[in-house]
Amino acid sequence: NRLQFSSIHTSVWFDNELSLWKATQTKHPDFLATSKAALGSMLLGHHLWTIHNDSALCSETQTYTRMLTLTGCSKEEYTCSEGSCVTMDKRCDGKEDCQDYSDESGCRPIQTFD
């Protein structure tokens, strides 16, 4: 009894004993990716993943980390870091619309010269 998402070549599941997500691929049996994202996140939003034994085309090292985003948002929506969606017009509008305020992160004011 484990929470698992599967496709033709990839399986992603939550390992209750280690309290982390794992991803494997049938075409590359040595490949493993892990994330310490909380079970309740259902992996939606931005999460740090550690990738082991990936293709040399992706990395020169055997193990590396990447911030990956899984979203259910449409193309017209911004994915908040915690996984919720807000319309793109709310991104960088000066108001905090995401619960984690990520819609205002990295925004810079526009300078005009008269």
Side-chain angles (χ1 to χ4, degrees), residues 70-87:
L70 180 64
T71 183
C73 302
S74 72
K75 291 179 182 179
E76 293 80 33
E77 296 175 309
Y78 172 77
T79 303
C80 302
S81 291
E82 93 294 330
S84 65
C85 307
V86 296
T87 57

Side-chain angles (χ1 to χ4, degrees), residues 91-93 106-114:
R91 171 85 168 111
C92 294
D93 66 352
C107 300
R108 292 185 231 146
I110 298 173
Q111 291 182 343
T112 59
F113 300 97
D114 295 329

Side-chain angles (χ1 to χ4, degrees), residues 33-44:
T34 59
S35 175
K36 294 181 181 179
L39 173 62
S41 74
M42 299 296 286
L43 288 178
L44 292 173

Side-chain angles (χ1 to χ4, degrees), residues 24-78:
T24 57
Q25 294 182 338
T26 55
K27 283 187 157 187
H28 306 282
D30 293 335
F31 173 88
L32 173 67
T34 59
S35 175
K36 294 181 181 179
L39 173 62
S41 74
M42 299 296 286
L43 288 178
L44 292 173
H46 307 299
H47 299 288
L48 188 64
W49 284 83
T50 302
I51 293 93
H52 307 275
N53 303 316
D54 200 359
S55 163
L57 298 174
C58 295
S59 177
E60 294 180 9
T61 61
Q62 287 291 317
T63 300
Y64 61 96
T65 58
R66 289 285 184 273
M67 185 66 70
L68 301 176
T69 302
L70 180 64
T71 183
C73 302
S74 72
K75 291 179 182 179
E76 293 80 33
E77 296 175 309
Y78 172 77

Side-chain angles (χ1 to χ4, degrees), residues 3 5 12-14 20-22 33-35 37-39 42-43 49:
L3 178 60
F5 307 102
V12 180
W13 72 94
F14 190 79
L20 54 78
W21 291 91
K22 292 183 175 181
T34 59
S35 175
L39 173 62
M42 299 296 286
L43 288 178
W49 284 83

